[in-house]
């Protein structure tokens, strides 16, 4: 049987197996806050853009010769938090078919892991997508979105390309807290630059950061209200391809999320000095007429969305700054079989 370069161990010929690529997605209207920490149910809805080229290459195999579930991520056997999230989604997918076979998950990210670029979104959607294909239960993508959400909230948005909304939902079991495509990638193929200022794993994972913010930030309830109010303008700007409206609404949404987190005790502060330098730089470029705006997830790295007509000029300006690595991609397709 073929062996992909991210597969450290060969897969037995008897295994039920699937190999997939699932992309990362970057929220333009952020999810920050859980109303149910077990099911990963959010306090607010969110809207993201799917990245064309950055994500997780993942093989999931089920075989009766395996004695336990294992996760090999970026070449290293995992124990602890990352394995637990994977077990959660594997158990859900196994329950759909009623089998008990153990699984071997082998996965590699082609961009920094745990650095605030949504590697958990690509990783957990990839495991869900591959496990469901391996077991022949992948036809209902909305069900896969619900399962992936339990592993990592933002993962429920990676199955579709283009622009995707994760509805907050109302059902206590989370069955209506799922992703849905707003428009596909052909509607508005914006370019995306990932500006890496620090590729190390963050000190404060998002789940912990959200909980500290929810419990201690005096601005948390204001954030939730503002987050809900920003969904319609962000959705409308995407539908109308109104770059400047999206730029303003997405930047305000991002800064309100970060300031609510910074106001927590202890503070949840993800930025570095370079992060703030880039915020000013991108605002300055837009004031000069270049269509670019920033957003920042739970980490110091900055993501820039560009009108393709202006990407080269924006990139040249940013490349002149010291200490920044630039990865270029665009808004692209969702999870796919390899
Ligand atoms: O789903 P998580 O636990 O990776 O949290 C994602 C949180 C943000 O990336 C900051 C926002 C978002 O909507 O993706």
């Amino acid at each position: 049987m073929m062996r992909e370069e991210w597969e450290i161990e060969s897969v037995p010929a008897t295994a039920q197996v699937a190999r997939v690529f699932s992309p990362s997605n970057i929220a333009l209207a952020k999810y920050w806050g859980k109303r149910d920490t077990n099911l990963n149910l959010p306090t607010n809805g969110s809207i993201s853009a799917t990245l064309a080229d950055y994500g997780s290459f993942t093989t999931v195999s089920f075989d009766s010769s395996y004695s336990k579930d294992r996760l090999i991520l970026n070449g290293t056997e995992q124990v602890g938090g990352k394995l637990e999230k994977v077990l959660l989604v594997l158990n859900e997918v196994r329950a759909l078919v009623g089998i008990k076979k153990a699984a071997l998950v082998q996965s590699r990210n082609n961009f920094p892991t745990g650095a605030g670029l949504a590697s958990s979104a690509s990783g957990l959607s990839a495991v869900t997508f591959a496990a469901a294909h391996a077991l022949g239960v992948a036809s209902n993508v909305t069900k896969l979105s619900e399962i992936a959400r339990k592993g990592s909230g933002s993962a429920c948005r990676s199955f579709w390309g283009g622009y995707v909304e994760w509805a907050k939902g109302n059902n206590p079991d989370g069955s209506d807290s799922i992703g849905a495509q707003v428009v596909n990638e052909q509607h508005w193929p914006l370019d995306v630059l990932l500006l890496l200022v620090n590729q190390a794993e963050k000190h404060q994972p998002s789940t912990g950061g959200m909980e500290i913010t929810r419990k201690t930030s005096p601005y948390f309830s204001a954030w939730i209200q503002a987050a809900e109010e920003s969904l319609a303008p962000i959705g409308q700007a995407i539908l109308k391809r109104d770059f400047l409206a999206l730029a303003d609404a997405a930047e305000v949404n991002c800064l309100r999320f970060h300031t609510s987190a910074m106001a927590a005790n202890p503070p949840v502060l993800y930025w570095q000095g370079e992060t703030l330098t880039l915020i000013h730089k991108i605002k300055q470029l837009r004031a000069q007429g270049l269509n670019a705006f920033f957003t920042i997830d739970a980490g110091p790295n900055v993501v820039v969305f560009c009108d393709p007509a202006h990407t080269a000029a924006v990139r040249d300006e940013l490349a002149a700054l010291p200490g920044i690595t630039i990865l270029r991609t665009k808004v692209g397709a969702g999870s796919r079989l390899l």
Side-chain angles (χ1 to χ4, degrees):
M1 191 178 271
M2 66 167 183
R3 182 157 157 189
E4 298 288 352
E5 54 70 41
W6 64 89
E7 294 174 12
I8 306 296
E9 295 192 14
S10 53
V11 172
T14 48
Q16 290 170 278
V17 57
R19 295 174 170 85
V20 307
F21 174 77
S22 194
S24 172
N25 72 72
I26 300 293
L28 298 166
K30 308 284 186 194
Y31 145 58
W32 195 255
K34 297 180 202 268
R35 65 176 201 277
D36 181 319
T37 47
N38 290 322
L39 294 172
N40 276 341
L41 299 182
T43 46
N44 60 283
S46 54
I47 298 176
S48 60
T50 303
L51 300 187
D53 310 297
Y54 292 106
S56 304
F57 291 89
T58 301
T59 304
V60 175
S61 51
F62 293 89
D63 194 63
S64 37
S65 69
Y66 297 156
S67 55
K68 59 171 183 174
D69 293 320
R70 293 170 57 210
L71 166 64
I72 300 174
L73 174 61
N74 298 328
T76 306
E77 181 97 33
Q78 302 290 314
V79 288
K82 291 196 178 79
L83 176 63
E84 276 163 31
K85 288 182 177 184
V86 163
L87 293 184
L88 221 140
V89 304
L90 287 176
N91 288 338
E92 293 273 338
V93 177
R94 273 189 290 242
L96 294 177
V97 261
I99 66 147
K100 291 203 159 46
K101 275 186 209 171
L104 171 61
V105 177
Q106 305 192 68
S107 191
R108 183 178 72 81
N109 296 329
N110 64 353
F111 69 120
T113 300
L117 294 167
S119 58
S120 66
S122 59
L124 272 301
S125 58
V127 174
T128 309
F129 199 68
H133 274 283
L135 298 181
V137 286
S139 58
N140 184 348
V141 183
T142 300
K143 184 70 193 168
L144 302 188
S145 174
E146 186 188 345
I147 291 175
R149 187 205 71 230
K150 297 181 190 175
S152 169
S154 54
C156 78
R157 301 183 305 233
S158 276
F159 295 95
W160 297 272
Y163 300 84
V164 178
E165 179 158 10
W166 170 14
K168 170 174 161 287
N170 296 307
N171 298 345
D173 68 356
S175 51
D176 58 349
S177 185
I178 44 178
Q181 189 175 57
V182 179
V183 279
N184 70 20
E185 60 276 21
Q186 272 100 45
H187 171 78
W188 204 17
L190 290 175
D191 280 337
V192 184
L193 302 176
L194 308 181
L195 309 182
L196 308 180
V197 304
N198 186 341
Q199 302 188 37
E201 284 215 26
K202 61 193 165 209
H203 57 282
Q204 174 68 78
S206 358
T207 295
M210 282 183 210
E211 280 300 276
I212 297 170
T213 309
R214 183 176 65 81
K215 288 180 183 151
T216 71
S217 174
Y219 306 150
F220 183 70
S221 55
W223 151 248
I224 295 309
Q225 192 183 335
E228 281 289 309
E229 285 168 7
S230 69
L231 288 173
I234 288 177
Q236 282 300 316
I238 291 168
L239 289 177
K240 292 186 194 150
R241 300 187 195 90
D242 183 338
F243 193 92
L244 293 179
L246 181 61
D248 287 343
E251 287 185 353
V252 166
N253 177 284
C254 164
L255 294 176
R256 286 181 177 167
F257 138 53
H258 280 280
T259 47
S260 76
M262 284 178 207
N265 188 5
V268 179
L269 175 54
Y270 289 112
W271 296 358
Q272 289 181 191
E274 293 89 340
T275 314
L276 197 52
T277 302
L278 288 168
I279 289 174
H280 286 297
K281 182 73 188 175
I282 287 143
K283 284 206 160 287
Q284 183 203 333
L285 294 178
R286 195 155 79 253
Q288 291 167 6
L290 292 176
N291 277 350
F293 69 86
F294 67 84
T295 188
I296 306 156
D297 272 0
N301 300 309
V302 177
V303 180
V304 179
F305 285 79
C306 299
D307 179 335
H310 298 171
T311 308
V314 171
R315 189 185 183 157
D316 286 349
E317 290 275 350
L318 295 170
L321 301 173
I324 291 158
T325 304
I326 304 178
L327 304 179
R328 180 175 174 170
T329 183
K330 61 199 308 171
V331 177
S335 309
R336 53 235 186 221
L337 273 176
L338 297 173

